[in-house]
Amino acid sequence: MTLVPAEAVKNTKSAAVQTCKQMNTMVYYTDAAASDREGIEKGAEILRKGGLVAFPTETVYGLGANGFDGEACKRIYEAKGRPSDNPLILHISQINELHLIVREIPPVAKKLMDAFWPGPLTMIFLKSNKVPKEVTGELDTVAVRFPSHPVAMALIREAGLPIAAPSANTSGRPSPTRAAHVAHDLSGKIDMILDGGSAEWGLESTIVDVSVTPPMILRPGAVTKEMLEQVVGNVGIDPAIWEKPTAELRPKAPGMKYTHYSPKAEVYLVQGSREAVTEKINALAVQDQRAGKKVGVLATEESKDGYNADVVLSAGSRSCLEEIGANLFRVLRQFDEVDIDVVYAETFPFEGEGMAIMNRLQKSAGYRMIKAE
Ligand code: AMP
Ligand code: MG
């Protein structure tokens, strides 16, 4: 394991990093199995002292602070530019830590824990009075996750604390799936980045509220509705995840009401048969290019050769939606690196694994959808 300044991380836009530099962000490389302990021990010490450490999880990189220390948690909001009413997720590394932070564990939660923890599932419980208001945004509930990534597990266990952690990106940007993404957004603003390679799932955890009956999905993720229903029967889904939030239709996960996952370009989703989508996007690209805009297409392996835009990036094969999910945020960030003005993105099924992908794409497009006929 080596210690290097954050600017040395590959793909980091060092100019952007240096202009916002306020502190020295250390980067420790560690193997994804966490067998090398140096970075883990250093990170745990920083967390115990109230500092901020970004670390890999199986979903995306998280930005961690001591979950019992309100002041440390406030620093997460400052570093990310996160609105204070968007609560954090408490990450645990042993089931017995759950009893410290929640008032009760409903039977349905017990079943879901047995089936999906450790893993990419966050559950909403009634909170105990040990949890500071900075974690929950003053709500009476707390979000808890038990991640399965060996580096996350080792770090949390070594710190000996529940770790409050949202995604380790600047608020509004696509979530980070690599240490270089974290360095790009947060270098100079946090104490340390533990670089453990690419996040496996690439989309944030499924959030399920288990404090209501039936349990309700507040954010779709790798653990699908179908997988949850196999374990606990009927599961609801917050209708607000599909619509542009309004005063009447407020998402139950406060974070879902904010603009999210946006590259600098304007993103439009284009829906229809494969041929119609290709034709429509090519026609739109010609118009935009005539107007002096640089056009990008978020395509798939099956379709990528049919486009005549400036930059065409494939997120993976339609036959493997997990691959699309794992690559989505990285590809959205790549459009920024080549200064694209407009991105046209293909769409995916609104069900199964496609639900999480479409939820993130709709938010990144500000819910703009073009029908191709
Ligand atoms: P992030 O990890 O960056 O995706 O942010 C955590 C997500 O969990 C945000 O969308 C929050 O709104 C959501 N969240 C955290 N705590 C709660 C809670 N008590 N109730 C509902 N949603 C929550
Ligand atoms: Mg986030």
Side-chain angles (χ1 to χ4, degrees), residues 82 86-89 124 139 141 143 166-167 207 218-219 252-255:
R82 184 175 176 100
N86 186 4
L88 312 176
I89 295 174
I124 308 292
L139 295 175
T141 51
S167 50
I207 301 181
L218 308 189
R219 176 174 74 185
K252 294 190 174 54

Side-chain angles (χ1 to χ4, degrees), residues 64-93:
N66 176 351
F68 287 146
D69 179 346
E71 287 305 310
C73 292
K74 268 193 202 162
R75 295 187 55 217
I76 292 180
Y77 292 89
E78 282 161 21
K80 283 178 58 80
R82 184 175 176 100
S84 60
D85 69 346
N86 186 4
L88 312 176
I89 295 174
L90 278 186
H91 290 66
I92 59 173
S93 61

Side-chain angles (χ1 to χ4, degrees), residues 60 80 82 86 166-169 171-173 175-176 204 219 260-261:
V60 299
K80 283 178 58 80
R82 184 175 176 100
N86 186 4
S167 50
N169 53 318
S171 275
R173 299 261 303 142
S175 295
E204 307 87 343
R219 176 174 74 185
H260 255 67
Y261 316 122

Side-chain angles (χ1 to χ4, degrees), residues 335-354:
F335 285 117
D336 281 350
E337 287 166 22
V338 284
D339 294 320
I340 290 293
D341 300 303
V342 188
V343 171
Y344 295 106
E346 294 181 14
T347 62
F348 299 89
F350 277 85
E351 64 211 9
E353 293 129 352

Side-chain angles (χ1 to χ4, degrees), residues 149-172:
H149 195 293
V151 173
M153 269 191 190
L155 178 72
I156 301 165
R157 193 162 297 171
E158 182 69 27
L161 295 159
I163 298 300
S167 50
N169 53 318
T170 298
S171 275

